[in-house]
Amino acid sequence: MTKLLVSGTIGLFTMLLYFKISYGLAAMNRVNPYINIIIGAAVECAGYTSASILINKIGRKKSFICYMTLTIICTLIIPFIMEQYPIETAIVAQVGKFAISGSLGVSWIYIPELFATTIRAFASGFFISVGRIGAITAPIVETLIDDKYMYLTFYIYAGLAFITVGLTLLLPETKNVPFIDKTDFRKPGRNIEMINSGFENERIVRF
């Protein structure tokens, strides 16, 4: 249950950050928003592509932390330069879009791998559903907050990203780890063992 709640929180905060950055690119008044969106789409593709490579090099957990750390850095830089340097702000925001896209790409692989086959579909659905709450919330927050207080949202979102990194540290690495086939809640204590189902050997996790 703890792992499920942690995964849901990661999904919520990651999608909040994704739509915060994406909405910010489209809402920039001093830079052409159409060009920003087109470049953002290319940057997002690059983020997903790099994520697919990095997760096989250094693992899911480290990849996610690296991308999220870069997201934090970009989110903290933007409020310091957004008023005087619109072009530089757009560049930093695009780097942030790359980073958060990479984070999303990794999370879609990483989170399902954390759960046994018998509950993986439920866990993935929970992760995605909670993430959609973040996707709905982010644009609403952006439209409700007055422009003079907008800079504060960057610090808040950076804090959420920092919490996300902290929660990720609690999760195990799943690279090159065999999938767990079943989860058995009947016994206390957690151990993994092989059982014979009559047709094939299955791995079962006992709690």
Side-chain angles (χ1 to χ4, degrees), residues 194-207:
M194 299 294 295
I195 65 171
N196 194 303
S197 63
F199 298 97
E200 59 182 352
N201 288 331
E202 297 178 339
R203 288 194 320 128
I204 185 168
V205 179
R206 297 194 184 278
F207 292 86

Side-chain angles (χ1 to χ4, degrees), residues 14 17-18 21 67-68 71 95-105:
T14 303
L17 284 158
Y18 173 81
I21 295 173
Y67 282 118
M68 193 57 70
T71 303
V95 175
K97 181 68 177 289
F98 168 84
I100 195 61
S101 298
S103 299
L104 277 176

Side-chain angles (χ1 to χ4, degrees), residues 1-8 115 119 122 126 185 207:
M1 180 61 72
T2 301
K3 190 188 295 184
L4 185 65
L5 293 176
V6 168
S7 300
F115 298 92
I119 62 170
F122 172 79
F126 180 78
F185 298 96
F207 292 86

Side-chain angles (χ1 to χ4, degrees), residues 128-206:
I128 294 171
S129 298
V130 176
R132 291 304 163 190
I133 296 175
I136 295 169
T137 304
I140 296 174
V141 171
E142 291 294 304
T143 55
L144 290 178
I145 295 180
D146 192 272
D147 288 343
K148 65 181 180 180
Y149 300 115
M150 189 59 66
Y151 72 96
L152 293 175
T153 62
F154 289 95
Y155 301 126
I156 294 172
Y157 280 104
L160 296 179
F162 187 79
I163 293 172
T164 302
V165 171
L167 292 175
T168 305
L169 293 174
L170 302 176
L171 300 175
E173 175 59 69
T174 60
K175 180 188 176 185
N176 297 329
V177 176
F179 283 147
I180 299 169
D181 295 322
K182 288 187 177 181
T183 303
D184 188 353
F185 298 96
R186 292 174 298 179
K187 290 187 177 182
R190 188 177 189 277
N191 60 82
I192 300 177
E193 62 183 46
M194 299 294 295
I195 65 171
N196 194 303
S197 63
F199 298 97
E200 59 182 352
N201 288 331
E202 297 178 339
R203 288 194 320 128
I204 185 168
V205 179
R206 297 194 184 278

